[in-house]
Amino acid sequence: MNSTTGRLTVIATPIGNLDDLSPRARAELLAADRILCEDTRRTGRLMAHIGVKKPLLSLHEHNERRRVDQVLEALLAGEHLALVSDAGTPLLSDPGFLVVRAASTAGLPITTVPGPSAALAALVVSGLPPLPYTFVGFPPAKPGKRRRFFERYREFDHTLILFESPHRIVRSLRDAHEVLGDRRIAVARELTKLHEETLRGRISDVVDLLAAKERVKGELVVVVGSAEVGDLEPRNPRSDSDG
Ligand code: SAM
């Protein structure tokens, strides 16, 4: 590697509250030559908010494979590239892995500015055992595949963390109930935002709470306790917003 070799910095950005962008994240965005981002408009708004103007290069699930060579070339030419996603930590159900793997295989320097992660934020407010945990991203959208997906984790003695969309959450939790049993769960909604709330209880209790709503809105993370997590607390479904 020569002295002009660049650097790739993986930077976490807020999952809702813009004040969660760290001073070091801002400094690294300011120091970068270019920023690889999922949605240039969205990152453009973040950059405008912090008063930093930089060339943005899109990197999303449809072009990441094609971008790899271009990114490697830029790094070898000495560029400092920052990698961000629309929200939270890149690579975690977000683009970036192919680029990081390529840079790592090429022996190029990779650094990070850690920060917000919806998965970990939900885990730490869930009230469920934090270790060991397994983060599984989004379950498949189709019911058959989704049930097989949950079956893979039935014997796991881990807390599971998953992402789910608001319009699938009730069906997905019903499948989880059928496959995993009536486990303890927490559903964290709109973390760090104005309408943040966490619903905790058995799957059946939380499904009842969600199904009673006209429409579930916002972004959601589901944390599922292992079969071993029994009655650590009294059996009362609770929401933080109950007051
Ligand atoms: N890479 C991101 C991270 O580290 O948090 C997550 C990106 S993933 C494409 C987006 C999903 O993360 C959403 O559908 C939702 O499940 C979860 N999520 C993101 N922000 C959230 C928030 N503020 N509250 C709850 N869940 C959130």
Side-chain angles (χ1 to χ4, degrees):
M1 220 54 46
N2 61 47
S3 59
T4 61
T5 297
R7 176 162 62 98
L8 176 67
T9 306
V10 183
I11 302 178
T13 58
I15 57 168
N17 190 326
L18 292 182
D19 287 344
D20 291 341
L21 189 87
S22 72
R24 201 163 79 80
R26 185 182 183 283
E28 285 287 300
L29 288 169
L30 196 58
D33 296 309
R34 279 196 287 176
I35 295 167
L36 296 164
C37 62
E38 220 180 332
D39 177 345
T40 51
R41 277 169 310 177
R42 189 150 169 176
T43 299
R45 283 198 293 275
L46 176 72
M47 301 295 281
H49 175 78
I50 61 172
V52 173
K53 204 160 167 49
K54 290 284 165 175
L56 305 177
L57 184 65
S58 72
L59 182 87
H60 44 71
E61 57 176 332
H62 305 294
N63 73 358
E64 184 170 2
R65 209 165 280 280
R66 276 182 281 131
R67 281 275 191 245
V68 168
D69 288 346
Q70 190 183 353
V71 169
L72 281 185
E73 250 171 57
L75 292 170
L76 287 165
E79 272 196 62
H80 175 197
L81 299 178
L83 167 66
V84 299
S85 62
D86 282 353
T89 302
L91 280 78
L92 302 182
S93 293
D94 270 342
F97 169 63
L98 298 182
V99 162
V100 170
R101 183 175 63 181
S104 142
T105 306
L108 293 163
I110 308 165
T111 55
T112 187
V113 180
S117 145
L120 291 185
L123 177 66
V124 299
V125 297
S126 68
L128 293 162
L131 292 173
Y133 74 83
T134 298
F135 168 61
V136 296
F138 287 95
K142 296 211 170 105
K145 278 195 179 164
R146 190 163 57 216
R147 278 194 287 271
R148 282 195 293 283
F149 170 90
F150 284 126
E151 271 160 21
R152 246 187 274 156
Y153 301 106
R154 189 164 35 204
E155 307 306 325
F156 253 56
D157 181 17
H158 289 194
T159 296
L160 288 182
I161 309 171
L162 44 117
F163 291 156
E164 192 47 287
S165 78
H167 67 273
R168 274 199 289 269
I169 185 71
V170 169
R171 279 173 286 155
S172 188
L173 287 181
R174 285 188 173 135
D175 285 341
H177 185 182
E178 198 180 305
V179 176
L180 303 172
D182 205 5
R183 304 247 185 121
R184 284 205 165 273
I185 61 163
V187 174
R189 197 174 74 83
E190 296 288 86
L191 288 160
T192 77
K193 303 186 206 174
L194 189 62
H195 298 292
E196 170 171 347
E197 68 169 351
T198 301
L199 306 172
R200 302 182 184 85
R202 298 275 171 192
I203 298 181
S204 57
D205 302 323
V206 174
V207 165
D208 287 348
L209 287 175
L210 292 172
K213 290 181 194 275
E214 199 178 308
R215 192 155 73 91
V216 180
K217 293 191 210 139
E219 299 195 277
L220 307 166
V221 183
V222 180
V223 184
V224 184
S226 76
E228 254 87 294
V229 181
D231 289 306
L232 295 178
E233 302 157 52
R235 192 193 155 113
N236 282 322
R238 279 209 37 234
S239 158
D240 285 344
S241 60
D242 288 346

